[in-house]
Structure formats: structure tokens, C-alpha cells
Amino acid sequence: MITKTAMITIAGKPNVGKSTLTNTLVGEKIAIVTDKPQTTRNRIFAIVNRGDTQLVLLDTPGFHKARNRLGDYMVKVVEESVADVDAVALLVEPVPEIGTQERLLIERIQSAGVPAVLVINKIDTVRKEQLLQVIACYTAAHEFEAVVPISAKTGEGTQELLDEFSKFAAEGPALFPEDMITDQPERQIVAEIVREKLLICLEREIPHGTAVEVTKFSQRENGMIDLDVTIFCEKESHKGIIIGKHGDMLRKVGALARRDIETFMGSPVYLQTWVKVKENWRDSTAQLRNFGFSE
């Protein structure tokens, strides 16, 4: 029975490994992961139950300099997620220099007056002695409650990190049912899986200009799930690239997405995809609201 809870925001610059860490801590893939920056666009709640303690982790977009209204929205999500929580996990790379994004996040943590844990990720890529320089650099800038070196990729140090998170838990009932691992509805997870495959398969700026909407989600008597998915892009030329020669690219994206969706749903999936153009939707307040990016 849950008797203690804590809300922890995971914050950091793009591509530092926030979503990989979230998935590792939960034990299942609930956040999409690619090697491209700004993969995560919305705040995702992830739930980890440990004995009598429920940890609610907030996976946030990468903190970056916004270039459009979607970027403005993502930055605001991060800034608001650093306040009104029990603690913030500042996720950084093992580099003995504080970057602009990290410095701004530290300032935000200080102004919010919230306790913070310094989490140094990707320790599997450096020698252990190099970590001492990183620790010295960051602890000189802020008094962290704890410093935990980890590898989100291999899982090293993640149980110790959960131990630290549990120290912030206060007496209270569970915030989410004990069988939940995320607040995301199935439709949203399906849409994000498709978007992840677009980010993986497409190059340059094109995938960042895509949005995905699930327009049909139904299950047959035999268990087969029928999905209709529309991919929106910003230019007619991008539409052609997403579809590919003779539809090859769209089929590739669909096949990769279907495999992961079937794993997530535990059922066979019949997936149909379409591509439509909505010019400059990332700078349209109305379109952002339609795609769920509303304050």
C-alpha cells in the first residue's frame, strides 16, 4: 500500500538522456527516444512504485532556445515543471563545464527554491576520475542535495538514484493507481511511436516539422487493433519525402511503428497511414492547440 509520494522533475538540455532515463526507471518504454534534439515535446508523467512509496517522474522537453511557438511552448513546460515539485533532477553530461542551458536551469531551480539532485549521465563514456572535475564544477555553482553518476543506457547507478528520489517522499496517498506507469492515453503513445520512427528515418529538419494524429483506434472481436494515423508536415515537398518513392518511406515508417505498437499493446495491429500538409503549423496558436500543445 502506498503511504508516501514524491514528484520529481527530470530536466536538462536536449539529447542529454531524459527520456532514456525515464524509460529505464519505469522499466518500460513510455517515452520515445532518438538521437535528434527536441524529441520530447510535452511533459510526460511516469510512475514508479517502490514498496510504500510512489515516485511520479516528470519527463520534460529539452531546455533550448526557442525558434517558433512550439519551441516557446516546450520551454514554458520545462520552466513550469521546475516549480511546485518535491525535487528536480538536473541531468547533465560528464563535461566539466556548465553550458548555457544548464546555467539557466540552475537559476530557475534557485529562484523556485526547490531541492535538486545533480545526475551525471553517460558515465559509461568517460573515465571515473573525470567525474570528479564535473562534480567540482557543478557543486561550485549550486548546493545540490546529492550527486549521482549514472548511465541511463546501461542502468548503472539508477537504483541509487531512485533511493535518492525516495528521500523526498512525504506522507500521503498515491497520486496515481498502482497499476499505472504513465498518464499518457494509448492514442498519444501510438502517435508518439509513429513520430519517433519519422525522426529515426528522416533527415535534417523535416521530422521536426511533423505532427501525428490517431484518427481511428478500435479493436475487433479477434483482438486485432485497427489504427488510422495521419502525419502532418509543413510543406508539400516534405510530404513527398515522407511518402518516398513508390511509398517506400511511408511503408518503412509504418512497419517500424507497427512492430513497437504491437509490443506495447500486446495485440496484432492493422495500421494505415496518410500524410497531409499544414503549412507553418509550429507557429500557429490554433494548430498547436489542435495538436494538444495548449497551456
Side-chain angles (χ1 to χ4, degrees):
M1 180 179 177
I2 300 297
T3 60
K4 295 185 292 183
T5 60
M7 261 189 156
I8 314 288
T9 291
I10 301 175
K13 70 178 183 180
N15 272 123
V16 75
K18 296 179 297 299
S19 294
T20 300
L21 176 59
T22 299
N23 291 337
T24 299
L25 295 178
V26 173
E28 290 193 39
K29 182 175 179 176
I30 60 170
I32 65 173
V33 177
T34 77
D35 60 359
K36 292 183 172 65
Q38 301 164 35
T39 296
T40 300
R41 287 174 171 170
N42 246 321
R43 180 174 54 199
I44 297 171
F45 285 82
I47 299 98
V48 178
N49 294 314
R50 307 180 82 219
D52 63 352
T53 302
Q54 183 174 87
L55 301 173
V56 180
L57 311 177
L58 282 66
D59 181 19
T60 60
F63 196 63
H64 66 288
K65 184 177 181 180
R67 297 180 178 178
N68 48 49
R69 289 187 178 177
L70 175 60
D72 291 336
Y73 167 83
M74 292 161 64
V75 169
K76 188 170 184 179
V77 166
V78 180
E79 291 177 339
E80 292 181 346
S81 298
V82 169
D84 299 323
V85 290
D86 296 297
V88 173
L90 177 61
L91 194 63
V92 304
E93 293 182 328
V95 178
E97 181 180 345
I98 302 178
T100 302
Q101 293 102 324
E102 288 87 356
R103 198 169 294 280
L104 289 171
L105 281 169
I106 289 173
E107 290 175 3
R108 181 66 179 169
I109 289 167
Q110 291 171 337
S111 64
V114 63
V117 174
L118 178 66
V119 186
I120 306 172
N121 192 22
K122 306 180 183 180
I123 61 171
D124 52 310
T125 64
V126 297
R127 296 191 305 273
K128 300 297 182 184
E129 54 267 26
Q130 290 180 253
L131 293 177
L132 295 176
Q133 300 174 38
V134 182
I135 293 170
C137 181
Y138 276 93
T139 54
H142 182 72
E143 187 175 345
F144 292 92
E145 300 295 318
V147 178
V148 186
I150 68 156
S151 169
K153 184 178 179 180
T154 68
E156 182 181 355
T158 53
Q159 289 307 308
E160 290 81 357
L161 181 58
L162 287 173
D163 290 340
E164 290 297 333
F165 287 170
S166 296
K167 294 177 182 178
F168 299 104
E171 297 293 329
L175 300 174
F176 292 91
E178 293 188 38
D179 59 348
M180 279 184 67
I181 60 172
T182 181
D183 67 324
Q184 293 186 99
E186 291 177 338
R187 278 177 176 261
Q188 181 62 26
I189 293 177
V190 167
E192 285 291 271
I193 289 174
V194 174
R195 192 168 67 85
E196 177 189 62
K197 304 315 174 189
L198 289 166
L199 285 162
I200 290 171
C201 294
L202 297 171
E203 296 298 327
R204 301 185 182 88
E205 178 64 13
I206 294 173
H208 290 295
T210 59
V212 179
E213 182 179 20
V214 178
T215 55
K216 179 182 179 182
F217 193 124
S218 62
Q219 190 163 20
R220 306 178 194 177
E221 290 184 3
N222 64 3
M224 173 77 76
I225 295 174
D226 289 304
L227 295 172
D228 287 359
V229 173
T230 301
I231 299 165
F232 295 94
C233 60
E234 292 185 306
K235 297 180 181 180
E236 196 67 39
S237 59
H238 291 178
K239 178 179 178 180
I241 293 170
I242 293 169
I243 294 173
K245 188 176 181 180
H246 307 304
D248 289 348
M249 179 58 72
L250 192 58
R251 276 194 294 272
K252 179 181 178 181
V253 169
L256 291 172
R258 183 171 60 251
R259 182 185 63 193
D260 280 11
I261 294 168
E262 288 180 338
T263 299
F264 170 72
M265 298 297 301
S267 301
V269 167
Y270 180 70
L271 173 66
Q272 294 192 92
T273 54
W274 287 268
V275 183
K276 295 183 179 180
V277 178
K278 282 191 181 295
E279 292 188 3
N280 301 318
W281 67 266
R282 286 181 292 177
D283 266 321
S284 166
T285 301
Q287 292 299 336
L288 288 173
R289 190 178 296 114
N290 288 340
F291 290 131
F293 303 112
S294 56
E295 297 177 9

